[in-house]
Amino acid sequence: MLNLAGDWSLSQESGENAIAFVLPGDGIDALFRADAIPDPYFGRNEYGLRWICDRTWVATRSFQTDRTDLVLVASMLDTLVTVAVNGVTVLTSDNMFLSHRVDLSHVLRLGANEITLTFGNVVAEARRRQEAYRYFLPFSANNTPIPNGNLIRKPACDFGWDWNIALATFGVHGDLYLEPVAATRIAHLVVTQSHTQGRAVVSVAAHVEGEDGGEVSFSLCGVHAKAMVKRGVARADLPIDAPQLWWPAGQGAQTLHDLTVALGKQTERRRVGLRSAELITEKDATGLGFKIRINGRDIFAKGANWIPQDALAGRINREDTRDLLQSAVAANMNMIRIWGGGRYEPSWFYDLCDELGLMVWQDFMFSCHIYPADDAFLTQVAEEVRQNALRLHHHASLTLWCGDNELIGALTWFPETRANRDQYLVGYDRLNRTIEQALKAAVPGAVWWPSSPSPGPMDFGDTWHDDKKGDMHFWSVWHEGRDFDHYRDVSPRFCSEFGFQSYPSMEVIRRFADPADFNIAAPVMESHQKNGGGNARIAETMFRYFRFPVDFENFVYLSQVQQGLAIKTAVTHWRSLKPHCMGTLIWQLNDTWPVCSWASLDHGGGWKLMHHMAKAFYAPVFVSAVPVPGGYELRAVNDRAGPIDLTVTALAVTMAGRTRELARATVAVGGAAVVAHRIAADQIGADEMLAYLWSEGDAQLGGDVFAPKPYKAYDLLPPNLRHRVKKVGQAYEITMSVEALALFVSVEADQPGRFSGNAVTLFPGHPATLTFTPAEPGAEPRFTLRDLHSATY
């Protein structure tokens, strides 16, 4: 193999802005690294850099070869890319989501050769395609300041989104190498599984290009088989007795096995987890259920939506991605949804999910726009689906394929679609059917769901507000400005999107703003808020629930507390409905750049307070406080494989931190939520909150505090928060104590690192210890402590 990754030269087509260019990589990051442009993420620099995507760019390099019978292998070419070798055009690609193999035998020379990649102007080409289409194809202009991105097959969010920078960069993000032409080769594998009690059968079909008659060998878990290639395919069934199964995080081990398939000198390897995966959608008295079943066990999905790791694809890497995914697992999540406005991730991404036990809900890459429905476009879509399904389907983590994100809703969003719904609905149906048919042709038995949100196949209803069927996106609290209690007004079967914004942490803000800009109305802060009215909504919501913070840094802190409370309200209520509701996927896990957003993790991977709170409210065993007429129910939930006996103790707590017991009971908790206590409203005084603990035997599993009124209605007392720090190895233990009830006690460090917990409640006489592990060994951090009283009084 001759790898063409590495050093290239890049310039505009005119020869301007000539710089070094490392591939894989993207052009904007390369220009920044060459000091040709300022930091795209700092201040308001984004707006002065949009000219870059409105140009044509050329990358070149030379290479040596001692043979000419070579094939070019290329993937993730972003996006309008013409490839020329020795001045001869060998490939024209306009879809970043396709892979290519091109025979170069007719153009290569012995010795020195030159290869050129020309990256076309996506702005001009998108406009040209829009103007040429026989009817207008609306796009979400409020999300995408660079227009007509729905006409170009690259990540939709590259043109901007309500959390993303808009730069529409270019580059190569996948493979780029030469390999010898082979008379016969394994083109792809199709791996399927069937499971019965104590036995798994893995069926492998090796699809071969070239002549029939070759012998293919198969090996998995010590089981071996051989088969001849007939009509381009060699097939084998590999029976495995007493299989070691793969389970999602929190349900069992993530056992993976090596599958090898060989033909001549070619060996293909896959890491395979033995498991069955089903989407159960059964009609019931309410409507249509929606739940994931793994190895015969119903799994409550706890997780978040995934967007690209970074807005500049050249900065995406395995190490940082693993840190983000590991943080999801550390917060007791077991599923991520790869959102349809991003990209199909590299294969190593799904390897990480396999290893970590993160189930993957995989959208196809269509989101929030109206897309073409002509034959040429649909033919390319079918190939896009086929290639990515074949590349990814063997992964144990890949649980569900979904046709798109919010395209059903988009049929109602635009004047054109409302005026001519039939035309656009037919176009959508053609696209959706193309995706479904291509998926099922490539991977028989693939788990399919038509859209998200969706009430089900051939149903184009409103699942933003109808909670009875399928999966739901619930945005009324954020986008409609409703109270947090409105989360309790719906009972989704599975909520795959819901969110509330906060500011990024101060460490992140300092990376894009000077102290002079530390004001929510400053132009720099507004440029790092991409959702219209978002900053005002954060502030207005604070007025409802809290006394206003004393300064900017405490505003940032309180925005994260508020975000965590919003999402906690939703998750804890919907978990308390189990098994009526069987999944919650928060919008969103990560950020692509430093920005005000719905993410629980900052850009760079730091934990916002909501992520710490998620670790608690996604715990395998949890008790939710649910307001009901006349009082409150404490509902116990158990996501473990087997039932448990749980003791739940309810207490009233004053602002001074004094408690009195209200009730204590032990309940058996299996697969459905159980009411442990009903607490009458008059059992809690006007100056009291409801506190409760739950334990299994002698082991305390958790505790929580529920405020019946907005926090601003309570006269909090100064807690006299004290702390002492002790270094233990490379980590630091921060032990805290108080003299009155202290809410949302949080510790910040002036160095990057990870806290064991945060946003905790402290009671007098009950010190708590958090651990901080610096990112850099030998660091000597200084700590800042905050709590609700100090932030707002």
Side-chain angles (χ1 to χ4, degrees), residues 656-671:
R658 291 187 292 271
T659 62
R660 57 186 177 85
E661 186 170 315
L662 302 175
R664 182 190 301 260
T666 299
V667 292
V669 190

Side-chain angles (χ1 to χ4, degrees), residues 161-226:
W161 216 260
D162 54 5
W163 37 260
N164 200 32
I165 197 168
L167 292 174
T169 188
F170 63 91
V172 177
H173 316 312
D175 295 325
L176 196 61
Y177 62 87
L178 304 179
E179 69 177 19
V181 174
T184 59
R185 59 180 289 272
I186 300 172
H188 62 264
L189 304 177
V190 176
V191 183
T192 58
Q193 303 181 29
S194 61
H195 290 257
T196 55
Q197 186 66 37
R199 186 177 176 87
V201 177
V202 177
S203 299
V204 185
H207 291 254
V208 176
E209 294 177 349
E211 296 182 2
D212 282 356
E215 184 179 73
V216 178
S217 62
F218 305 81
S219 177
L220 175 68
C221 297
V223 178
H224 306 278
K226 293 183 179 181

Side-chain angles (χ1 to χ4, degrees), residues 31-156:
L31 288 164
F32 169 67
R33 292 177 185 275
D35 293 324
I37 60 172
D39 180 357
Y41 294 171
F42 190 82
R44 293 169 51 81
N45 289 343
E46 168 195 2
Y47 305 109
L49 298 176
R50 288 198 185 147
W51 62 270
I52 296 170
C53 65
D54 204 7
R55 302 288 191 277
T56 296
W57 296 83
V58 180
T60 61
R61 66 160 289 172
S62 60
F63 61 93
Q64 299 277 331
T65 182
D66 58 3
R67 59 190 297 177
T68 60
D69 58 334
L70 297 174
V71 173
L72 171 67
V73 179
S75 63
M76 298 185 81
L77 301 177
D78 186 11
T79 287
L80 306 175
V81 183
T82 300
V83 182
V85 176
N86 297 326
V88 179
T89 297
V90 297
L91 172 65
T92 300
S93 175
D94 62 353
N95 186 329
M96 182 183 132
F97 308 129
L98 290 179
S99 299
H100 307 274
R101 294 180 60 84
V102 183
D103 190 336
L104 301 184
S105 302
H106 63 295
V107 297
L108 287 174
R109 300 189 289 249
L110 295 176
N113 293 264
E114 183 174 84
I115 183 170
T116 301
L117 307 179
T118 301
F119 300 94
N121 181 326
V122 294
V123 176
E125 178 61 15
R127 181 173 58 248
R128 185 197 69 77
R129 293 184 182 188
Q130 181 71 273
E131 291 170 352
Y133 208 75
R134 69 183 185 85
Y135 56 87
F136 181 69
L137 296 169
F139 57 93
S140 293
N142 57 320
N143 280 341
T144 53
I146 301 174
N148 304 312
N150 51 334
L151 279 296
I152 303 291
R153 294 306 293 147
K154 76 189 259 84

Side-chain angles (χ1 to χ4, degrees), residues 408-472:
I408 295 175
L411 294 169
T412 68
W413 293 349
F414 308 105
E416 297 85 357
T417 57
R418 291 193 295 269
N420 196 353
R421 180 175 170 84
D422 288 353
Q423 173 177 267
Y424 290 101
L425 177 59
V426 168
Y428 169 73
D429 187 60
R430 291 189 70 191
L431 172 64
N432 194 255
R433 283 178 177 271
T434 296
I435 296 168
E436 179 182 7
Q437 290 169 0
L439 170 67
K440 292 180 177 178
V443 184
V447 177
W448 161 260
W449 186 246
S451 180
S452 184
S454 171
M458 298 305 296
D459 188 335
F460 303 100
D462 173 14
T463 42
W464 277 265
H465 300 91
D466 184 351
D467 59 357
K468 297 178 179 61
K469 297 183 289 185
D471 76 308
M472 186 179 196

Side-chain angles (χ1 to χ4, degrees), residues 144 232 236-237 448 564 571 637 697:
T144 53
D237 292 332
W448 161 260
V571 170
V637 180

